[in-house]
Amino acid sequence: MPSVQSLHTFALPAHCAALITITHSESLFEVDFSKPCYVMGEGSNTVFIEDFTGTVLKIANKGIAVTEQQDVWHVRAAAGENWHQLVIHLLELGVFGFENLALIPGTVGAAPVQNIGAYGVEVGQFIKSVKGYDIAKAQFVELAQAECGFAYRESIFKQILKDAFIITEVLFELPKQWHPVLSYGPLQSLDKNTVTAQQVFDKVIEIRQSKLPDPKVLANAGSFFKNPIVESDQVQTLSKQYPDIPKYPVDAKYTKLAAGWLIEQVGLKGFELGGIAVYHKQALVLVNQGAGTASELKAMIQHIQQSVWQKFNVQLEHEVRVIAANGNVQLQGVQA
Ligand code: EPU
């Protein structure tokens, strides 16, 4: 059984029944989809907690084509391209818009799945269409932005198309007229009238490097939990007790809370359980200090979920895709 330890950035030891690397999308026609498959890119948002009994399909096709339209740029990128390298490439070409999303680990094909977002920008807003292989139909189809169901860390690819559609290419549309997004705290120090895309890019990299660990140095999978979206009435009650609680309005009824803040408030920032730790600079990130095990990770997830539930009555859902013997699982440490 091939090892998957080096295929996911959390680097827990595990295996899969078979590993297929897809360098050309047409080779998907030859894959036997009657067996369970797990599709991945660079494994920066996936954690294997058991030996997976199916086939891992690693998407590694390449290619970027930029075409100029009247008011916009069209960028067609293969799913296997590295996201950050695409951001750099576009910046060098003078195609702006992705600088807030610099240094996000992973591939282009993974970006729409969880609608990657950072510092006031989500990738879904720039996606014109997503092309992929429809497993049931055994053919390639292209979904327009409106069909992709983008929301905070959500898309149709995690919902009804999970295990049914393999993203092979993404078409982005970026306006030629660049509008810097400087709403996030530390970016507000930049002057919106004179700022360049390069300066935003540099600042984003500085912010990320100051609080997020580099997976090449310290194994991790980025934010481990989603920021929970809860009813605004509950947030109002919490705000009376905790006036400093960070909160972000979503709509008339719901408000998003900062999971990192909640975890820090229950005293778990820097907490270690065997080889797994809550990162000391950003409590939303879990790290594998080298010899961490899956059972320690599961105990850590449960401990965090229970502690936050007991203090705040808020359920934390892990954002990272957790793969057990039969595929994706959602670990739930509390019963609401
Ligand atoms: N906070 C704490 N303690 C912590 C961490 C955060 O009090 O240990 C507080 C901060 O002071 C701030 C708030 O929580 O008031 C939010 O923190 P931060 O700005 O660091 O962002 P985040 O909500 O923790 C999200 C994304 C990140 C993204 C940043 C910036 C999710 C799950 N995570 O983190 O994305 O880079 O915002 O936009 O939405 C990722 O998905 O892997 C990721 C890194």
Side-chain angles (χ1 to χ4, degrees):
M1 285 178 103
S3 168
V4 293
Q5 189 166 20
S6 65
L7 295 183
H8 66 131
T9 60
F10 207 81
L12 290 179
H15 298 84
C16 60
L19 168 66
I20 301 176
T21 301
I22 302 291
T23 52
H24 295 91
S25 53
E26 302 74 42
S27 45
L28 287 169
F29 287 119
E30 276 122 57
V31 174
D32 173 7
F33 286 105
S34 64
K35 299 192 181 113
C37 285
Y38 181 68
V39 175
M40 59 189 288
E42 292 172 8
S44 54
N45 201 45
T46 292
V47 177
F48 287 92
I49 56 165
E50 288 170 2
D51 286 343
F52 174 52
T53 55
T55 304
V56 168
L57 284 184
K58 185 175 161 60
I59 307 299
N61 58 334
K62 300 282 181 216
I64 298 172
V66 180
T67 51
E68 187 170 2
Q69 312 289 321
Q70 196 175 359
D71 301 318
V72 297
W73 298 101
H74 279 173
V75 178
R76 210 172 254 287
E81 289 285 347
N82 173 271
W83 173 261
H84 181 61
Q85 292 308 317
L86 175 70
V87 176
I88 293 175
H89 180 64
L90 294 180
L91 196 62
E92 283 167 359
L93 291 178
V95 177
F96 306 141
F98 285 159
E99 45 295 324
N100 296 52
L101 304 179
L103 219 57
I104 294 184
T107 58
V108 165
V113 178
Q114 60 148 341
N115 187 17
I116 57 168
Y119 313 111
V121 175
E122 283 184 355
V123 76
Q125 69 199 71
F126 293 113
I127 289 178
K128 190 164 165 60
S129 64
V130 175
K131 187 174 173 187
Y133 184 74
D134 182 317
I135 295 174
K137 291 185 188 145
Q139 68 184 39
F140 286 92
V141 290
E142 196 149 350
L143 299 180
Q145 182 195 49
E147 298 172 277
C148 295
F150 292 125
Y152 167 65
R153 295 294 192 272
E154 272 302 342
S155 74
I156 195 170
F157 309 108
K158 280 170 95 171
Q159 301 294 335
I160 56 169
L161 291 185
K162 183 158 87 73
D163 301 328
F165 187 86
I166 300 172
I167 297 172
T168 54
E169 196 175 273
V170 183
L171 175 61
F172 303 99
E173 182 171 275
L174 294 142
K176 285 187 184 167
Q177 176 116 42
W178 178 61
H179 297 287
V181 179
L182 306 175
S183 51
Y184 184 82
L187 294 178
Q188 286 169 12
S189 63
L190 300 169
D191 179 351
K192 69 175 188 321
N193 298 312
T194 57
V195 73
T196 63
Q198 182 69 47
Q199 285 168 337
V200 178
F201 173 89
D202 291 342
K203 191 78 188 169
V204 164
I205 288 182
E206 188 188 312
I207 300 166
R208 286 191 80 92
Q209 287 179 338
S210 71
K211 52 180 164 186
L212 297 170
D214 178 350
K216 288 195 202 84
V217 179
L218 183 57
N220 75 89
S223 298
F224 207 91
F225 298 93
K226 282 193 207 177
N227 283 334
I229 294 176
V230 300
E231 290 200 5
S232 303
D233 290 351
Q234 185 186 353
V235 176
Q236 258 191 359
T237 312
L238 285 171
S239 296
K240 288 193 189 118
Q241 211 178 342
Y242 308 99
D244 297 338
I245 191 168
K247 46 185 189 290
Y248 315 95
V250 174
D251 55 30
K253 199 159 173 242
Y254 292 100
T255 300
K256 192 159 72 178
L257 296 176
W261 185 89
L262 298 170
I263 297 169
E264 182 167 351
Q265 292 301 308
V266 295
L268 292 178
K269 197 173 193 170
F271 175 71
E272 292 181 22
L273 205 160
I276 306 294
V278 178
Y279 190 52
H280 65 286
K281 292 187 197 166
Q282 219 307 2
L284 195 45
V285 177
L286 301 186
V287 298
N288 171 7
Q289 304 187 104
T293 65
S295 52
E296 289 164 355
L297 175 64
K298 283 191 277 185
M300 175 67 100
I301 294 170
Q302 192 170 45
H303 183 54
I304 292 172
Q305 287 173 328
Q306 280 174 352
S307 307
V308 168
W309 174 253
Q310 276 158 15
K311 190 172 167 101
F312 297 105
N313 239 1
V314 171
Q315 269 190 301
L316 289 188
E317 227 179 82
H318 56 83
E319 187 228 354
V320 166
R321 305 186 109 186
V322 174
I323 308 302
N326 296 319
N328 246 287
V329 289
Q330 195 64 35
L331 302 174
Q332 200 46 265
V334 285
Q335 299 300 324

